[in-house]
Amino acid sequence: MISTSRGNEEAAQRVIPVAERLLGSYRLYEPRLSIGPVDVVGKHRPVFPAIAGWWMHVNALTADYLLLLRSGSTLTIVPLFRNIFEHVLAMMWLREAGTDGVTAIDGYTWDQQVKLYDGAKANGWPAAQNAESPARPAHVPEKDDQSPEAKRFRTLKGEFANLKNLVDAHENDRFAVSDHYEVYRLLSSYSHASAHTAAAYVRQAADGELTFNAPNSRSGAADILWLPVCLIQAGTTLSSTIEGSPLEAVIEQAITELGIPRDQLMIKRTPKGDTPQT
């Protein structure tokens, strides 16, 4: 989705098998999580449920993406990659944020539930009329709490609630945070109702003549090229929360095949003061 070139298209065809092998190995490991027991690293126990759930969701999204890609789909698979991209960033963010990140997610989720309840009640939905507003989770600070813990909670909640805030909470020498958000912005333009999605099917010339076509050509190969990177980041994040890093061997093989420096793949948190809050 970023650029188009013959080299990019050829490279994309080479990395697809890497992504498929990674996904295959991940899918083989999934039953071990459900059967258990899983020896989770002590400090990562609070974040493990969300990270494991997101990892499995990324796997499912990737399976759909690759299936549709192999069948010839183009424009319609971009929202799938956008979803993969966002979930992987959230996984890395949560691993760094730790227990406080879990509280922030719970607080954000409660906010959304209250907004849904209020909106449904205001619009006269019977189910809302006969229900009570969702209760605040006990571990989520009250809105007027000004303690240091509550301020950190609001900072982290503001990061999780907005992807621009979330990527600004990270820094990496090569994969700059601004690039992450611009990629997401571009993917979003092919995910929401936009001039881009309309023009993929119907174009109007200066003289008013309409051209109808199927979007049978890609606007770039960068989403395909980035897919195995997302899978490596997701797998590394999950594996690092489990004793013995069980996915390390398959991840290392993929990194070797792609020729990407390992130390430039994972995003680390860099404190920058308070993030805009919600």
Side-chain angles (χ1 to χ4, degrees), residues 20-75:
E20 290 175 332
R21 284 192 292 272
L22 266 176
L23 179 63
S25 297
Y26 289 177
R27 279 295 174 86
L28 288 174
Y29 185 73
E30 282 184 16
R32 296 182 60 181
L33 292 181
S34 58
I35 295 172
V38 181
D39 191 7
V40 180
V41 176
K43 68 177 182 179
H44 294 314
R45 285 175 186 161
V47 303
F48 182 77
I51 285 178
W54 285 340
W55 177 73
M56 295 176 77
H57 188 52
V58 165
N59 291 346
L61 290 167
T62 301
D64 289 346
Y65 178 95
L66 289 171
L67 178 65
L68 291 169
L69 179 67
R70 288 296 196 188
S71 72
S73 296
T74 56
L75 185 70

Side-chain angles (χ1 to χ4, degrees), residues 26 56 65 85 130 143 164 173-174 183 221 232 256 260:
Y26 289 177
M56 295 176 77
Y65 178 95
F85 184 79
N130 301 322
K143 294 186 182 297
K164 181 66 166 65
D173 291 340
R174 181 173 182 181
V183 170
I232 289 169
T256 300
I260 301 175

Side-chain angles (χ1 to χ4, degrees), residues 111-123:
D111 282 351
Q112 298 308 302
Q113 291 172 336
V114 171
K115 289 177 182 177
L116 176 61
Y117 169 83
D118 290 345
K121 189 168 184 177
N123 282 286

Side-chain angles (χ1 to χ4, degrees), residues 1 13 51 82 96 166 172 179 181 213 223-224 226 228 245:
M1 292 304 304
Q13 295 307 311
I51 285 178
R82 176 181 179 268
E96 295 287 323
L166 188 146
N172 182 280
D179 286 344
Y181 188 70
N213 62 282
D223 50 328
I224 301 175
W226 202 259
S245 297

Side-chain angles (χ1 to χ4, degrees), residues 141-175:
E142 296 186 28
K143 294 186 182 297
D144 59 353
D145 188 340
Q146 296 301 314
S147 67
E149 294 79 12
K151 290 181 179 179
R152 173 166 168 76
F153 160 77
R154 285 190 286 273
T155 292
L156 291 175
K157 182 164 72 75
E159 291 174 3
F160 183 75
N162 182 287
L163 194 87
K164 181 66 166 65
N165 293 343
L166 188 146
V167 298
D168 281 347
H170 296 86
E171 191 58 75
N172 182 280
D173 291 340
R174 181 173 182 181
F175 301 131

